[in-house]
Amino acid sequence: MNKYGFIVTIMVVLTLGNAQLANANRPQAVSEPSQADSIRSFQAHIPEAELSELRRRINETKWPDRETVKDQSQGTQLETMKELARYWAKDYDWRKFEAKLNGYPQYITNIDGLDIHFIHVRSKHKGALPIILTHGWPGSFVEMMKIIDPLSNPTAYGGKASDAFDVVIPSLPGYGFSEKPTEPGWGPDRIANAWIELMKRLGYTKYVAQGGDWGAIITDLMAVKAPEGLIGVHSNMPGTVPADIEKALHCGDSMPDGLSPEEKRAYEQLQFFNKHLGYAELMGTRPQTLTALADSPIGLAAFLLDHDEKSLKLMSDAFRGKPGGLSRDEILDDITLYWLTNTAISSARLYWENKYPFFGVKGVKIPTAVSVFPDELYEAPRSWAEQAYPKLYYYNVLDKGGHFAAWEQPALFTNELRSAFRKLR
């Protein structure tokens, strides 16, 4: 069995029978599965000692000086982090989240030598369309949990039985409860292959895929491979930027002539993001240098909050008593998962493994749907989307929502997936 970098007790039910695991450092099954492609049930039960140690470390944080500006232009602000620390140590309840998580069917299966954790909820409605949802960084499967029930049980959430999905949400390698790669090679291409294998292993001969952030890149690459059964994809962070625009941005050239107002806006948004990519550049070149993130929960939290300007404001506001799309508990569910699984560094290595431009065209030729949220890193113009995805059949611009759209605006996001994939059923 594989190592997990955290102390955890899990209940594993093998496909051939029940087997209980309990080892403080390395979960071990009573009996190994007889087939390499077996699927084992999983539940998370973090020992209380780990939670007590987390609170101790939070309370013993050595704080930096306050930023010298009145805004967040220097990064995550000290006031935000002190309030986060107070709430995390005194009021946050991991057990509440753990119980909610364990209320969903979770599994582990070994693909290409790596144990992959995933949530799998089959709809009660006949003819449900299988969908694989892929998260990104600094997110996790936590991003998608609000949309599981509306997608799988639409009649309870304002939808029709014909809108139902079977929902599959895997954890990226090195994230959450998936195993951490111990050698190079687990980049987006290999993950795309693993997800194709996962859907095949689950017995699906017709399915769709969706992703944002890393999930968008991985979903695009699944579509490029065009495996039998994958009939369409949806992205909320589409790869649409033309090669000449990508080159101008990379070289720091001035804005090319002839762009439409929507294209100019997208160019300016990408310019701004490229100037604030410090976290991605560090993870993409020196992920192991971030060792301090594995030692300080507050250091980890400050780093995870600062993904982009608008998301940082959204999350900071939650700790200032101005909740928007995310609550304090929801933000800490994700951060605590990173801490308890010790995945700060293993998740960062995906940036080091990646060889693709974040927003560049990948060459998708299968049916594609795009949803544009206004607070995303850039708002993909229809003109670019139509060039990037020759079989673009759905394009919609929303009036609210950002980078973590499914997490921030679950009702809107659910409706987007229902509308986008209705044509492909």
Side-chain angles (χ1 to χ4, degrees):
M1 284 296 274
N2 50 290
K3 286 189 177 181
Y4 294 97
F6 61 101
I7 302 176
V8 62
T9 305
I10 59 175
M11 291 296 295
V12 173
V13 183
L14 302 179
T15 53
L16 301 178
N18 293 337
Q20 184 174 1
L21 302 183
N23 187 290
N25 295 307
R26 178 174 175 158
Q28 296 180 347
V30 173
S31 60
E32 292 293 332
S34 60
Q35 298 178 352
D37 60 355
S38 69
I39 296 173
R40 298 157 276 157
S41 292
F42 173 93
Q43 286 200 325
H45 298 287
I46 302 297
E48 190 61 34
E50 284 292 286
L51 301 178
S52 296
E53 173 64 7
L54 169 58
R55 289 188 286 269
R56 183 192 69 80
R57 285 174 176 260
I58 293 170
N59 289 327
E60 293 184 4
T61 298
K62 183 176 181 179
W63 294 101
D65 296 336
R66 184 187 181 281
E67 60 276 4
T68 58
V69 293
K70 294 182 179 180
D71 56 25
Q72 60 182 31
S73 59
Q74 292 182 353
T76 314
Q77 294 172 286
L78 181 62
E79 180 184 2
T80 298
M81 293 314 303
K82 285 196 169 182
E83 177 55 23
L84 182 151
R86 184 204 66 77
Y87 188 85
W88 201 3
K90 295 183 179 180
D91 298 324
Y92 174 72
D93 185 0
W94 165 265
R95 296 298 183 205
K96 182 178 178 180
F97 170 75
E98 189 177 72
K100 181 178 180 180
L101 172 62
N102 288 337
Y104 291 109
Q106 300 172 78
Y107 303 92
I108 297 282
T109 192
N110 193 280
I111 301 177
D112 196 11
L114 209 66
D115 273 2
I116 300 298
H117 164 265
F118 63 99
I119 296 171
H120 184 201
V121 178
R122 293 185 185 271
S123 175
K124 65 181 181 180
H125 296 293
K126 185 177 180 180
L129 179 63
I131 185 170
I132 181 167
L133 302 162
T134 308
H135 67 83
W137 183 97
S140 63
F141 61 80
V142 173
E143 288 181 62
M144 309 295 184
M145 288 180 65
K146 290 180 182 178
I147 63 174
I148 294 174
D149 293 335
L151 290 177
S152 61
N153 188 18
T155 56
Y157 293 86
K160 301 177 181 178
S162 57
D163 290 325
F165 292 86
D166 280 359
V167 179
V168 180
I169 308 174
S171 295
L172 292 171
Y175 288 68
F177 296 113
S178 281
E179 188 176 1
K180 303 170 187 176
T182 57
E183 59 184 14
W186 274 98
D189 262 316
R190 192 169 177 181
I191 296 171
N193 286 332
W195 281 195
I196 292 167
E197 170 60 26
L198 174 60
M199 295 305 279
K200 180 181 178 181
R201 190 170 296 181
L202 292 174
Y204 291 127
T205 57
K206 174 184 176 181
Y207 65 95
V208 294
Q210 194 285 326
D213 196 86
W214 283 121
I217 296 174
I218 292 163
T219 298
D220 269 4
L221 294 176
M222 290 176 69
V224 170
K225 297 172 190 296
E228 184 178 358
L230 180 59
I231 61 172
V233 294
H234 174 276
S235 179
N236 56 292
M237 196 190 83
T240 70
V241 181
D244 59 330
I245 300 295
E246 190 81 40
K247 181 179 178 181
L249 287 164
H250 179 73
C251 296
D253 295 343
S254 59
M255 184 184 297
D257 295 331
L259 300 184
S260 70
E262 292 79 13
E263 292 168 346
K264 288 179 180 179
R265 175 168 172 74
Y267 189 91
E268 290 168 351
Q269 290 171 325
L270 290 165
Q271 268 188 323
F272 179 85
F273 181 69
N274 284 350
K275 292 177 181 178
H276 299 81
L277 254 181
Y279 70 90
E281 292 175 356
L282 184 54
M283 290 191 289
T285 56
R286 314 290 284 180
Q288 202 67 25
T289 299
L290 294 167
T291 296
L293 301 185
D295 187 61
S296 167
I298 294 301
L300 173 66
F303 193 75
L304 295 181
L305 287 186
D306 195 12
H307 176 271
D308 65 273
E309 182 186 39
K310 293 177 181 177
S311 295
L312 175 57
K313 183 181 185 305
L314 176 72
M315 296 186 186
S316 297
D317 282 350
F319 291 98
R320 294 175 182 142
K322 302 176 182 178
L326 295 174
S327 70
R328 296 179 178 198
D329 286 332
E330 289 166 347
I331 295 165
L332 287 173
D333 290 340
D334 185 62
I335 295 172
T336 306
L337 177 68
Y338 271 83
W339 176 260
L340 294 174
T341 55
N342 192 21
T343 48
I345 305 303
S346 57
S347 63
R349 292 194 192 109
L350 183 52
Y351 285 81
W352 186 87
E353 294 281 1
N354 179 53
K355 310 304 179 193
Y356 292 92
F358 290 136
F359 312 113
V361 178
K362 310 299 188 300
V364 175
K365 298 293 192 297
I366 71 172
T368 304
V370 168
S371 296
V372 178
F373 290 86
D375 290 335
E376 182 52 272
L377 303 180
Y378 87 111
E379 296 171 81
R382 179 188 285 271
S383 58
W384 291 0
E386 289 174 342
Q387 294 174 41
Y389 301 107
K391 291 188 177 180
L392 181 76
Y393 70 93
Y394 180 91
Y395 175 93
N396 191 35
V397 178
L398 286 298
D399 60 1
K400 60 182 176 179
H403 186 69
F404 303 98
W407 203 15
E408 300 168 28
Q409 301 293 336
L412 283 178
F413 197 85
T414 296
N415 190 60
E416 281 300 286
L417 295 191
R418 290 175 182 170
S419 299
F421 290 124
R422 200 166 280 146
K423 181 179 179 180
L424 300 184
R425 289 181 179 272

